[in-house]
Amino acid sequence: DAGVTQSPTHLIKTRGQQVTLRCSPKSGHDTVSWYQQALGQGPQFIFQYYEEEERQRGNFPDRFSGHQFPNYSSELNVNALLLGDSALYLCASSFRQGNQPQHFGDGTRLSIL
Amino acid sequence: QQQVKQSPQSLIVQKGGISIINCAYENTAFDYFPWYQQFPGKGPALLIAIRPDVSEKKEGRFTISFNKSAKQFSLHIMDSQPGDSATYFCAASGANDYKLSFGAGTTVTVRA
């Protein structure tokens, strides 16, 4: 039973570029959430997707956008990259009903030069 | 504004000792309190979780204690082992608010 898988594992970009990160949820899960984890800090909620719609959003600018596909996989897009966007981006999947546990992938390490 | 406050920032414990990590929250709408364990280069792994209808939950060497009136919960790691050396995060979410709010993390080092 595959867990949450994310790609790529590492990515290096320069300021102003755009990036797309991908996530496949754990089998049986229908909800995907994205988090940003800066070095030495706890993960911060970006947004959550369910039934292909953004259901909740954290305190992140519109440069951060996402998408969920019919097979429940998801993408996180970040435009106009800033140095401060350097972080570990984590995807978590869960089953929507009843506020069920969220299971995380190993993340994508994004470095902005 | 951090909704979940975690302490200590780091701790060192001898092998076989007890590690205790504390968290406090303000949002009374929170009704789910998980703990995650994270190793370097890995994502957080769900360790144990509790809902406010119980005051304690134990799974193996890991125990959560929950005090609803004080709005505090804690993780106890009994018989700590070197393999337990990791960063631990407490988190919370609400019944109709599925996002997890995380504490800042506690780095636990277990000395052999």
Side-chain angles (χ1 to χ4, degrees), chain A residues 52-95:
Chain A
E52 301 179 47
E53 289 189 16
E54 182 183 296
R55 300 292 178 166
Q56 271 187 284
R57 189 178 184 91
N59 189 26
F60 280 82
D62 291 345
R63 297 187 297 109
F64 290 77
S65 63
H67 189 77
Q68 186 180 33
F69 299 94
N71 67 353
Y72 308 119
S73 67
S74 177
E75 288 182 349
L76 165 66
N77 301 292
V78 187
N79 295 322
L81 287 166
L82 303 174
L83 292 178
D85 294 333
S86 294
L88 180 67
Y89 288 85
L90 296 162
C91 169
S93 73
S94 58
F95 184 61

Side-chain angles (χ1 to χ4, degrees), chain B residues 4 8 16 23 28 32 37 43 50 52 56 65-66 71 79-82 88 91 94 96 100 104 109:
Chain B
V4 180
C23 286
T28 55
Y32 175 67
Q37 178 190 57
I50 197 168
E56 186 174 282
S65 297
F66 184 80
K71 292 184 284 187
D79 187 26
S80 296
Q81 300 297 312
Y88 293 81
N96 297 308
L100 287 169
T109 303

Side-chain angles (χ1 to χ4, degrees), chain B residues 11-83:
Chain B
L11 67 90
I12 299 173
V13 63
Q14 291 297 121
K15 180 181 176 182
I18 302 173
S19 303
I20 301 175
I21 306 170
N22 300 299
C23 286
Y25 64 96
E26 288 298 324
N27 188 345
T28 55
F30 285 154
D31 73 343
Y32 175 67
F33 304 89
W35 285 88
Y36 286 85
Q37 178 190 57
Q38 187 174 28
F39 293 105
K42 296 291 188 180
L46 182 62
L47 198 58
I48 186 173
I50 197 168
R51 296 189 189 268
D53 52 342
V54 296
S55 60
E56 186 174 282
K57 182 175 181 179
K58 182 176 181 179
E59 289 184 3
R61 296 184 294 107
F62 300 91
T63 299
I64 299 179
S65 297
F66 184 80
N67 186 328
K68 188 174 181 178
S69 61
K71 292 184 284 187
Q72 295 176 348
F73 58 111
S74 61
L75 176 70
H76 292 61
I77 307 173
M78 314 299 288
D79 187 26
S80 296
Q81 300 297 312

